[in-house]
Amino acid sequence: MHVGGEVDVRSAYCAASVASLTNILTPALFAGTAEWIARCQNWEGGIGGVPGMEAHGGYTFCGVAALVILKQEHLLNLRSLLHWVTGRQMRFEGGFQGRCNKLVDGCYSFWQAGLLPLLHRALHARGDPALSMAHWMFDQLALQEYILLCCQCPAGGLLDKPGKSRDFYHTCYCLSGLAIAQHFGSGELHNEVVLGIPENCLQATHPVYNIAPEKVARAVMHFLQYPVPSLDPA
Amino acid sequence: DEIGLIPCPEARYNRSPIVLVENKLGVESWCVKFLLPYVHNKLLLYRQRKQWLNKDELIDITCTLLLLNPDFTTAWNVRKELILSGTLNPLKDLHLGKLALTKFPKSPETWIHRRWVLQQLIQENSLPSLATKGNLGAAPVERIHRLVQEEMNVCSEAAGRYPSNYNAWSHRIWVLQHLAKLTVKVLLDELSSTKFWVSMHVSDHSGFHYRQFLLNSLIRRTVTDNNILVQNQKVNEQTPSLQKEEESAGTEAACAEEQSVDLPRRLDEEMELCSELIDNYPGHETLWCHSDESLNNSHHSTAASHMAQAMDVDGLNESSSKQGYTQETKRLKRAPVQDSLGPEMEYRFVDKVLSTCRDVDQARFATAYRKWLVTFLGQ
């Protein structure tokens, strides 16, 4: 994560995210990374911080998104991953938990639910005929209910669960999760599913980078104008 | 051996806010808002080179800071510098961390720093000349063993202080991987020492995941050791030399010992533990997940142990044992795995739970498990 710091799946995602947006991504830079991330997937189907660790929502998102960027999602067992993540939506609360047998938390609205667009895309690329053309593989309305009814602070901002205090992190990821739950697909296949009044509808977010899709496009276009820097001294 | 905050919003008496009772350190809460910014500021000024602090002051200040807020990375990093310059004994940081964890059992930075310190200590260990620093008197192997045991204790305490403590259990796994090298002995010891703990914490998914890690490591170990056994046989026959004979004899002895691990029995015991806990504590998803995975392992390791037995015979008799091994493996992989008693017992267990349980969640988990059994065994 920083010089002398921890090594885990998050840094792989940060690096892949930055490198791909700024057009400095080279095979050499990420040699072996995809394989290492795949080793972080465990028997539960989710992904842990490093190989051997318990599956965890945050790390799973980072791992899968990084692999999507590196175009190596096929290294994962997508079926067990799908089984794991769908099992993390809480049947009573509607929100997601980070790990099996833990409590619901608003931020996992993004880390966990955000996996489903990524999985949908990966499975679609394999030509899976059973995929829906209108909905992600989680209960989009139930998640929206949890976020809107339980995760809002009356003074503004969003939070983990009722009783907790608001913070920027939860505000960001509750909103990101809400956007994911409201928007299926894009372009011609775009399907909006909005709970409550139409004004509740947020702008869509990019499922890999979690910024506006237009911003992703603009960043990529901008940096494509520059050559990929080489590691050799000039 | 423990720290804590004493809720005390106002200083009522003109006395020190530090309370020490029976080796437990307490700090009255009113003073924190004065103390923390003060020490924090002092450290920052030092870092910005605006105000010098000598080594003892640094040690004191960082210690105070970290007991109040152990996620303050800069303070840990200052201590890293002190350790590298030889001014600070790394064992002190293990103790400081242990103390911080009594109040902040999750603290990521504390665990991260701990791993750095342990890495320093292992490196020290591999250079015998430095070992006489007087820190640890005993022989290297003994020292590592003591370090490992201490880490197991620290992890266990922290795991007990916060449910499903991801960081504590991750650290425990890391210690086994990097300090204890995943020997069979340590894996078996850990299986037995955590058995009681998980029985007392049936919703602790991290705890059960740890047991899966131990069992998986044992499985991998058995397969690897059998590979070594076979390869050594081959080497022995082709180029006999004293050193190689000793090596392979050693490995053989180790393998013989380890083959007495009896994996299938271990896995059966794990299934028994699961069933018992599921019966006693209805409605815990963790237990069912653990059951799923243990059965899975049981199934696969039956195949692995058949392979092991076959290789045993081939290795001793055939001179072209390597060829024999690969042929044997292929044959076993093609053949269907024998039905052990496991799956049938599981059906009976699940049906029994379904017919007798009254807990809604338990019924749901049992139904899902049954469906999974059908799918899994139907393959």
Side-chain angles (χ1 to χ4, degrees), chain B residues 100-138:
Chain B
L101 289 168
T102 60
K103 185 162 182 296
F104 305 92
K106 285 201 296 177
S107 170
E109 291 302 318
T110 307
W111 293 108
I112 292 168
H113 183 75
R114 209 173 176 80
R115 286 191 273 279
W116 183 88
V117 170
L118 289 166
Q119 269 164 341
Q120 296 301 306
L121 287 171
I122 312 175
Q123 281 168 26
E124 226 180 79
N125 218 31
S126 57
L127 300 163
S129 55
L130 291 176
T132 55
K133 246 187 192 175
N135 294 344
L136 310 146

Side-chain angles (χ1 to χ4, degrees), chain A residues 121-199:
Chain A
R121 199 186 107 131
L123 292 168
H124 180 69
R126 280 194 195 173
D128 193 316
L131 286 175
S132 161
M133 287 291 115
H135 293 102
W136 305 122
M137 286 181 274
F138 72 94
D139 192 329
Q140 292 169 247
L141 284 172
L143 179 60
Q144 292 183 50
E145 272 187 31
Y146 178 67
I147 297 171
L148 292 172
L149 296 172
C150 307
C151 294
Q152 294 199 71
C153 172
L158 293 99
L159 35 93
D160 164 353
K161 57 173 73 65
K164 302 275 185 165
S165 45
R166 63 187 176 171
D167 59 60
F168 295 117
Y169 166 82
H170 283 96
T171 303
C172 173
Y173 290 105
C174 282
L175 288 175
S176 307
L178 187 56
I180 295 279
Q182 289 174 339
H183 298 274
F184 170 86
S186 62
E188 281 172 9
L189 281 176
H190 184 213
N191 180 29
E192 268 177 27
V193 178
V194 180
L195 181 79
I197 56 176
E199 284 78 6

Side-chain angles (χ1 to χ4, degrees), chain A residues 2 4-6 42-44 47-49 51-56 59 79 87-88 91 97 99-102, chain B residues 112 115 162-166 170 173-174 177 202-203 205-206 209 212-213 216 284-286 289 293 364 375:
Chain A
H2 48 88
E6 277 293 87
N42 76 354
W43 57 271
E44 301 173 75
I47 293 178
M53 301 306 175
E54 189 186 348
H56 179 293
Y59 292 125
R79 192 162 160 256
R88 307 279 70 77
R91 66 186 50 239
Q97 65 187 177
R99 300 181 267 148
C100 179
N101 232 158
K102 290 216 76 176
Chain B
I112 292 168
R115 286 191 273 279
Y162 185 83
S164 234
N165 190 335
Y166 193 84
S170 301
I173 290 175
W174 182 92
Q177 288 169 329
V202 292
S203 257
H205 196 250
S206 303
H209 174 268
Q212 285 300 339
F213 165 77
N216 283 332
H284 291 267
E285 192 172 3
T286 296
C289 285
E293 186 54 20
R364 180 167 52 87
T375 324

Side-chain angles (χ1 to χ4, degrees), chain B residues 164-276:
Chain B
S164 234
N165 190 335
Y166 193 84
N167 297 334
W169 290 102
S170 301
H171 183 79
R172 201 163 179 160
I173 290 175
W174 182 92
V175 169
L176 287 194
Q177 288 169 329
H178 293 89
L179 260 65
K181 309 292 181 194
L182 296 177
T183 62
V184 171
K185 177 177 190 311
V186 92
L187 291 170
L188 291 177
D189 282 346
E190 279 295 287
L191 264 179
S192 68
S193 66
T194 52
K195 186 168 180 174
F196 179 71
W197 196 94
V198 297
S199 310
M200 293 290 111
H201 298 83
V202 292
S203 257
D204 198 311
H205 196 250
S206 303
F208 281 95
H209 174 268
Y210 183 66
R211 290 182 75 80
Q212 285 300 339
F213 165 77
L214 294 172
L215 291 166
N216 283 332
S217 303
L218 271 173
I219 293 173
R220 261 200 302 270
R221 191 76 190 195
T222 315
V223 173
T224 316
D225 289 341
N226 286 326
N227 288 350
I228 296 173
L229 182 61
V230 169
Q231 276 173 32
N232 277 337
Q233 294 290 359
K234 179 187 153 221
V235 162
N236 238 4
E237 282 138 18
Q238 289 175 359
T239 50
S241 78
L242 190 62
Q243 196 192 24
K244 286 205 169 109
E245 271 173 21
E246 274 177 9
E247 262 175 25
S248 63
T251 326
E252 267 179 61
C255 285
E257 185 193 302
E258 282 160 2
Q259 265 160 25
S260 71
V261 162
D262 192 5
L263 257 182
R265 212 193 86 218
R266 295 278 161 198
L267 292 165
D268 280 345
E269 280 171 8
E270 199 66 17
M271 293 302 297
E272 271 174 42
L273 174 67
C274 272
S275 307
E276 196 188 307

Side-chain angles (χ1 to χ4, degrees), chain B residues 52-67:
Chain B
W52 176 252
L53 289 168
N54 70 37
K55 309 252 153 99
D56 289 321
E57 288 172 318
L58 275 176
I59 293 179
D60 280 343
I61 290 203
T62 51
C63 184
T64 310
L65 265 170
L66 290 165
L67 287 175

